[in-house]
Amino acid sequence: MPTLLLVRHGRSTANTEGLLAGWTPGVALDERGAAQAAALPGRLAALPLSEVVASPLQRCQETIRPLLDARPGLTAHTDDRIGECHYGDWTGRKLDELKDEPLMEVVQAHPSAAAFPGGESMRAMQTRAAEAVREWNARVEREHGADAVYLMCSHGDIIKSLVAEALGLHLDLFQRISVDPCSVTAIRYTRLRPYLVRLGDTGDFAALAPRDEPPSDDAPVGGGAGAP
């Protein structure tokens, strides 16, 4: 079966403003995010990509644009099922404000029980994304062969949930996974099991450097902004 590259969108204006963007329209890449997207074609130059599938949200569409411009023969598709989690009433709010919400403790420690008010549950988010991957795996293999490589551009929580699903981890453990903006995660699917062969690869270790403020013990909902 194919190898799937999961690319998180480049850093967005919402990431740098500390907002939980969700499906808010008009959330674009910031200057660094645009530079990350511009570098993506070079990072993937050695790979014969067969298809590109992206979330419909602007920050994902902007992330794949340089790649599509560099490979004019590459077919691009949009799939709502790999769009961001529907955060409902939390959409557009500051993450600093949300950390005191009682639901945040559930999101961090027991996400399989978390459902956002006016939005969807994290279980539903993972289920729809995993179904999309299974369908695209079958389509890509059928049209391009079992050794094909294809790319999905999506969002932090979506990618983390797909990694957990591939590793057989319960969703309650998915907050232990981290993927920075414009990172590449690669999963090779086989008939019996998937293999995680890259996780959150950016080629840049700046995000690991000590910071003035120690990192939070909580996982960044939505994925975080990466290196400062």
Side-chain angles (χ1 to χ4, degrees), residues 41-205:
R43 292 168 60 198
L44 302 180
L47 296 177
L49 297 176
S50 59
E51 306 277 358
V52 170
V53 186
S55 157
L57 295 170
Q58 180 177 333
R59 52 199 184 272
C60 288
Q61 297 291 323
E62 290 181 353
T63 298
I64 63 169
R65 177 48 51 196
L67 180 63
L68 298 176
D69 289 344
R71 302 194 191 195
L74 191 58
T75 303
H77 310 269
T78 297
D79 194 324
D80 288 359
R81 293 173 298 176
I82 61 168
E84 182 62 283
C85 185
H86 292 276
Y87 294 116
D89 296 345
W90 281 25
T91 302
R93 292 182 60 186
K94 285 191 172 294
L95 290 166
D96 282 348
E97 298 173 357
L98 291 170
K99 67 183 180 182
D100 295 325
E101 293 278 354
L103 177 61
M104 183 59 85
E105 187 176 15
V106 182
V107 170
Q108 293 293 327
H110 190 20
S112 65
F116 295 99
E120 71 179 332
S121 69
M122 303 200 90
R123 284 183 298 126
M125 174 199 74
Q126 183 187 46
T127 297
R128 63 173 164 86
E131 287 177 350
V133 167
R134 282 191 285 272
E135 289 182 18
W136 278 104
N137 280 348
R139 174 174 172 174
V140 169
E141 181 173 8
R142 184 172 63 250
E143 297 180 2
H144 302 281
D147 295 328
V149 180
Y150 75 107
L151 181 149
M152 281 185 167
C153 184
S154 187
H155 306 266
D157 282 348
I158 294 287
I159 294 172
K160 288 161 55 178
S161 75
L162 289 171
V163 170
E165 200 262 352
L167 291 176
L169 295 178
H170 196 282
L171 184 61
D172 286 344
L173 301 178
F174 101 123
Q175 297 290 26
R176 302 183 184 193
I177 299 166
S178 178
V179 288
D180 278 352
C182 224
S183 62
V184 178
T185 293
I187 301 172
R188 180 168 61 86
Y189 289 88
T190 73
R191 186 174 65 87
L192 296 180
R193 64 180 67 87
Y195 292 89
L196 179 66
V197 293
R198 290 289 189 281
L199 175 62
D201 190 339
T202 63
D204 180 0
F205 291 95

